[in-house]
Amino acid sequence: MVKSELGHVGYFDRESCDLDEFKVLTSQNLTAGDVPHAAGIEKNVPLYDMESLRPALEDPERRRALLAEWGRVFRSSAGVIALKRAYADTSVIDRASEIFRRIIVEERESAAGKGDHFAAAGANDRIWNSLQKQCVKDPEGFALYFGNASLAAAAEAWLGPNYQMTAQVNQVRPGGKAQTAHRDYHLGFMSAEEAMRYPAHAHEVTATLTLQGAVAHVDMAVESGPTKLLPFSQLYGPGYVAFHDEGFRDWFEEAHVQVPLEKGDAVFFNPAVFHAGGENRTADVERLVNLLQVSSAFGRSLEAVDRRTMAQALLPELVKLKQGGAMGVTDLDAAIAACAEGYPFPTNLDTDPPVGGLAPPSMAAFMRQALQEGWTAAQFARTLADQQARQAA
Ligand SMILES: [Fe+2]
């Protein structure tokens, strides 16, 4: 560890990693007083009952208090939250599962979508960029699935508004092996040597740029292998170097927790929490989860997503759902946030100057306006094409 005179850690290296320190840090206990909105705590994971908390998401003051609590848990407490009944209506989940299974079959037949960065090929099925694929295949289903105030609230609690949603489906079949302990994107997707090239403060920042989530598409008992998590491990400074170390991995295997989930539940965690997909020890459960990786407006997201195509597919469905009264404002806004680019940068300031403000309008701003004013599909398509031309010019 290279320290400056002021005690500032300049860079992490292998000597920075102190297993005893890590053990103490991750042996803490979460108490009810730390999470007043939670309905309970299971193995250091606070459980939030979204059925009873959903009205709070409609009330600005109560929403802010809840989001502040979640932000605190992600940053300086357990690092993980479980949202029970994040979906009031699980038929929305079943509809998405159906689409995902169709995509899996199609991709298997076309031999696309090969390669999973953790599992041996064949033990599981992955759909990369399930976000865009679902949206294009079933835009109404996408609207109902991502028009979910609970998911939006979790993302916003950690990243603020204008986050970039991405999603990847993982289906682990019986016998599918566990992953090894790791942290996630950004620095979690690098070797220890690469990570060590970034200064210590960048290690701290990286965890604030993404949020990991998972939506349970089936009931997931512990035997089916819900994500293994080590609460409080995000607090460990040199963790992006340490998770590559065998001693730390052994401790993870000893001390991790697994929380069973029901269909329609979701978990979210700080990407710096040590975690690993669990082993599916059941004989017959195909563990289907949609992994959400949400990026800050200020960061680069992992996947390239064609949000313009998605937005054009989604808008007509949102218009119908709004007119039919099937979705309220909060849920409509959540669907837009999951689909459209919420941030107006990077852009070309010669051709796309800010007008009447500090920033030009974002794609999401146009989409909200289109929904409010009842634009035609052609009008919306033209607006987005013009915007893209200005941004890329
Ligand atoms: Fe991961």
Side-chain angles (χ1 to χ4, degrees), residues 117-118 126 179-180 182-185 189 212 227 269 271 273 275-277 291 293:
H117 51 297
F118 287 107
R126 258 298 168 178
Q179 294 177 342
T180 46
H182 61 280
R183 282 180 165 186
D184 266 328
Y185 186 75
F189 274 30
Q212 293 302 123
T227 307
F269 56 93
V273 168
H275 67 279
L291 301 171
Q293 186 170 84

Side-chain angles (χ1 to χ4, degrees), residues 160-242:
N162 303 326
Y163 50 79
Q164 312 167 71
M165 182 67 72
T166 72
Q168 304 87 30
V169 164
N170 195 19
Q171 177 169 249
V172 179
R173 290 196 280 274
K177 294 291 171 231
Q179 294 177 342
T180 46
H182 61 280
R183 282 180 165 186
D184 266 328
Y185 186 75
H186 297 255
L187 284 178
F189 274 30
M190 295 181 194
S191 67
E193 286 66 32
E194 279 176 292
M196 286 188 287
R197 295 178 60 202
Y198 289 82
H201 58 262
H203 287 236
E204 207 178 303
V205 165
T206 184
T208 64
L209 295 178
T210 64
L211 179 68
Q212 293 302 123
V215 177
H217 278 239
V218 295
D219 288 343
M220 291 165 41
V222 168
E223 300 73 53
S224 73
T227 307
K228 295 150 82 174
L229 295 154
L230 185 55
F232 299 101
S233 54
Q234 88 283 11
L235 299 172
Y236 192 57
Y240 288 99
V241 178

